[in-house]
Structure formats: C-alpha cells, structure tokens
Amino acid sequence: MQLRILVTGAAGFIGSHVMLALAQAGCDVIGIDNINSYYSEKLKYARLNQCGIATEDASWEGNICQSSRFEHCRFIRMSISDGEGMDRLFSRWQFDKVINLAAQAGVRYSIENPQAYMRSNMNGFLNLLECCRNHGVKHLIFASSSSVYGLCDKVPFKEDFKVDTPVSLYAASKKSDELMAFAYSKLYGFTTTGLRYFTVYGPWGRPDMAPMLFAKAISEEQPIKVFNNGDMIRDFTYIDDIVKGTLQVVFNDHIADYCALGVPHRVYNIGCSRPVKLMDFINELETALGKKAVKEFLPMQPGDVYETYADTSRLEQEIGYKPQVTLHEGIQKFAQWYLSDDNVLRP
C-alpha cells in the first residue's frame, strides 16, 4: 500500500531533501511550509523547484501545487500555527505518517525573537499533535535538536542523559516538544519519534548557518566570524546521511517495540559521531573553495555550546543507521554545489 505522508517545513533545508527522497521512493507525499522571511524566500522556492514545484504556484497561500516531476507529490503554502487550517488538511488527506520539520530555526535568533519560537515550535507542534490524535495518524516523526543537551559536560551525548539545562529558548522549545509528544503517545497510543539532529550541512543549506556563512565570506574574500576564538567542536553531519536516517525511521514499523514504560515514544540522536574541530572544518572549506579565509576571532556567543558529539549507537542498533559521508567528501560536495548555478544565492 502506498503511504501518504505529510512533510512540514518542506521548503526548509532538511525538509526539502526529505520530501524529494520520499517522492523518489514512490510515496504519496504532501509538503507544507509557510515560507516565512527569516531567510531568503528565493532559496526556499529553489529547493521546492527540485521537487518539481513551480514558484508561481507555490507562492499562493493555500494553493495545492502539483509536482511536475512526481505524480504523487504536492505542496501547499500554509503554517502549522493555523490550527483550523491544519485540521482541514488532515481531514481531507488522511495521512498515514507525519514528519514535522517545521520550526522557527536559529539559536541566536531565539534570544531576540522569543515569540516566534512559541508560535511555531510550541503552538504549531501542539496543533500537529492534536491533528494526529483526531485523524488516526499512526506515527509522528519530528525534528528535535542536539541543542537540548545544553550545559551537559559529558560526551558523547546519549539519549538517556538529563537534558534540563538548555542555554537558549530554541533548545527549551525542542525539549518541550519531546515532552508533549511523550504525553500524547501515553494518552492516545500513537507512536511519536523525536530525532535530535546534530549540525547538518550540505547543498541547499541554510544561509544563516556556519557552512553557508563561511563559504560566502571566503568566496567574497570577506572576514568570517570565528566564535570562541575557534576553540569549538561540532558533530557535522552531511545532509544525505540525515535524510537516509530519517527515512529509516519513517519506514520502520517496530519502533514501539523499543519503547519503555509501555509508551510508544522514542528519541534518537542522528549525527555523524565523528566530531571535528571548527578550525579543521574551516581548513577543509578553504581547500575545497581554493581560497584562504580572513578570520575574525570572537568570544563565545550567548546560546552556543563548546562541543556537540552524538552517540548514535541506539539509532544504529534499533534502526540500522550508519553515516557514510566523511567530512572531506561532504565539504567537496557542498563546495561544488555552492559554486554551481544551482546556488541561487551565489553573487
């Protein structure tokens, strides 16, 4: 039977890749996104174009856009914060599974604009939980974040560590989503799975994240901002590995078998498990772009942490996840895309 799957945040970095992969796998997929102005709308529409969604169709709110590439792929511009609209959407399409990748992104932005995070990451997620409850959805997979580990000083991060010391409202909102999902799974019996994504990079990436910021500055011979004087460690994970792991969870019907307390709720780290120093990442990017970076060393920023390092053994043992792309390979692929005509933000 062909699965009907809703992907929220479908014009986002991870969401657009996931929607494309599901369409290529033959699923009946519907993507939604409010296409807000937090960063370039041009980039978001270009991502949708990869799935055969025309910009002129997708720009109209509420319009059901048919993909020109895939018979069973559609897109609708709408927000998960619209509770009534979401209820109508679920009533019409009767989804088997939901993948929530919609969120107001950006750790530092959450410090300046807290209300935006509550609307999307909390109220919007509650709308999704209610829709799953009321419309018989079997499985809700949702994006959490490595930021939930906050001030945790033990590495690698494991899913059973206490995560009650967030250092940003973004992190707090993601932990809240995990708690709400657990409660709904306990109360109403449908499966919820949270994916704690670690630093994701690759083609079509977010322009507010380090890889894109660095690539732009290096290419234009402008200074790059290197926080904590370069003394930071990140579990950089290439987008293809993230998509593969996400789909492995989506297509696994036995996640409830691994859940504790009789509640069909599970949380997984999804990263590379090979953390690298920030300066090594910059060196790889310099080599791939063929230019040296002009570095502006700065102190640690509010909301940042020194190190992220995923223990992905739970996802490997229970789901079969195993990242394949090395940092060198991933940076080469990213740089190739960045310098190509596909990059609509390239000067």
Side-chain angles (χ1 to χ4, degrees), residues 311-329:
D311 181 332
T312 58
S313 57
R314 175 185 288 184
L315 192 60
E316 180 178 351
Q317 293 165 9
E318 298 179 4
I319 308 297
Y321 170 78
K322 197 162 187 178
Q324 302 292 325
V325 182
T326 66
L327 180 69
H328 177 73
E329 293 169 332

Side-chain angles (χ1 to χ4, degrees), residues 155-222:
V155 292
F157 297 152
K158 297 185 178 182
E159 293 92 343
D160 55 4
F161 284 0
K162 288 185 67 175
V163 286
D164 53 6
T165 56
V167 296
S168 70
L169 187 63
Y170 173 75
S173 72
K174 287 299 187 179
K175 178 55 185 174
S176 298
D177 287 351
E178 294 181 5
L179 294 173
M180 289 194 292
F182 181 93
Y184 267 71
S185 288
K186 170 62 177 173
L187 289 168
Y188 307 114
F190 63 91
T191 302
T192 58
T193 305
L195 299 177
R196 291 175 177 170
Y197 292 118
F198 283 67
T199 311
V200 187
Y201 73 99
W204 305 99
R206 274 176 32 206
D208 63 320
M209 293 185 68
M212 287 281 280
L213 290 171
F214 288 171
K216 183 177 188 298
I218 293 171
S219 298
E220 298 175 5
E221 300 180 357
Q222 297 295 316

Side-chain angles (χ1 to χ4, degrees), residues 46-325:
R47 291 169 178 157
L48 291 173
N49 294 163
Q50 301 300 301
C51 292
I53 303 296
T55 300
E56 56 269 27
D57 295 333
S59 61
W60 292 90
E61 190 165 344
N63 186 35
I64 301 173
C65 311
Q66 173 63 51
S67 167
S68 61
R69 291 188 60 191
F70 305 101
E71 180 183 358
H72 299 289
C73 179
R74 306 169 188 86
F75 174 80
I76 305 169
R77 181 173 182 175
M78 64 179 298
S79 173
I80 62 172
S81 299
D82 177 4
E84 292 183 359
M86 292 296 292
D87 190 67
R88 290 193 295 269
L89 179 77
F90 276 69
S91 293
R92 174 168 181 174
W93 296 102
Q94 296 298 310
F95 302 109
D96 297 300
K97 301 191 178 189
V98 173
I99 309 172
N100 179 42
L101 300 171
Q104 178 56 60
V107 170
R108 296 185 191 112
Y109 187 76
S110 69
I111 296 171
E112 302 166 7
N113 300 273
Q115 295 298 334
Y117 287 79
M118 293 302 99
R119 284 192 296 271
S120 179
N121 300 8
M122 301 282 289
N123 295 339
F125 189 64
L126 178 59
N127 288 337
L128 278 172
L129 288 168
E130 278 288 283
C131 286
C132 289
R133 164 200 175 186
N134 294 324
H135 296 280
V137 173
K138 301 170 186 175
H139 190 184
L140 167 63
I141 301 95
F142 64 95
S144 185
S145 169
S146 62
S147 66
V148 301
Y149 289 103
L151 295 177
C152 179
D153 59 0
K154 295 186 295 182
V155 292
F157 297 152
K158 297 185 178 182
E159 293 92 343
D160 55 4
F161 284 0
K162 288 185 67 175
V163 286
D164 53 6
T165 56
V167 296
S168 70
L169 187 63
Y170 173 75
S173 72
K174 287 299 187 179
K175 178 55 185 174
S176 298
D177 287 351
E178 294 181 5
L179 294 173
M180 289 194 292
F182 181 93
Y184 267 71
S185 288
K186 170 62 177 173
L187 289 168
Y188 307 114
F190 63 91
T191 302
T192 58
T193 305
L195 299 177
R196 291 175 177 170
Y197 292 118
F198 283 67
T199 311
V200 187
Y201 73 99
W204 305 99
R206 274 176 32 206
D208 63 320
M209 293 185 68
M212 287 281 280
L213 290 171
F214 288 171
K216 183 177 188 298
I218 293 171
S219 298
E220 298 175 5
E221 300 180 357
Q222 297 295 316
I224 65 172
K225 294 181 178 180
V226 184
F227 295 112
N228 205 37
N229 298 306
D231 185 19
M232 299 176 76
I233 298 172
R234 288 290 180 270
D235 197 331
F236 289 102
T237 313
Y238 190 67
I239 184 64
D240 289 2
D241 285 330
I242 289 290
V243 171
K244 181 179 178 182
T246 301
L247 264 61
Q248 284 177 302
V249 171
V250 171
F251 295 135
N252 191 301
D253 293 323
H254 303 286
I255 287 175
D257 297 343
Y258 302 109
C259 300
L261 305 173
V263 179
H265 170 82
R266 199 68 164 151
V267 172
Y268 294 105
N269 288 334
I270 178 164
C272 188
S273 273
R274 293 192 293 270
V276 299
K277 295 179 180 179
L278 180 59
M279 296 305 296
D280 291 340
F281 182 88
I282 293 172
N283 290 339
E284 284 281 0
L285 194 53
E286 288 174 322
T287 300
L289 294 172
K291 287 187 177 182
K292 296 295 291 183
V294 180
K295 304 176 185 70
E296 179 184 356
F297 291 100
L298 297 168
M300 184 77 87
Q301 295 293 287
D304 272 352
V305 296
Y306 165 68
E307 180 177 12
T308 63
Y309 180 179
D311 181 332
T312 58
S313 57
R314 175 185 288 184
L315 192 60
E316 180 178 351
Q317 293 165 9
E318 298 179 4
I319 308 297
Y321 170 78
K322 197 162 187 178
Q324 302 292 325
V325 182

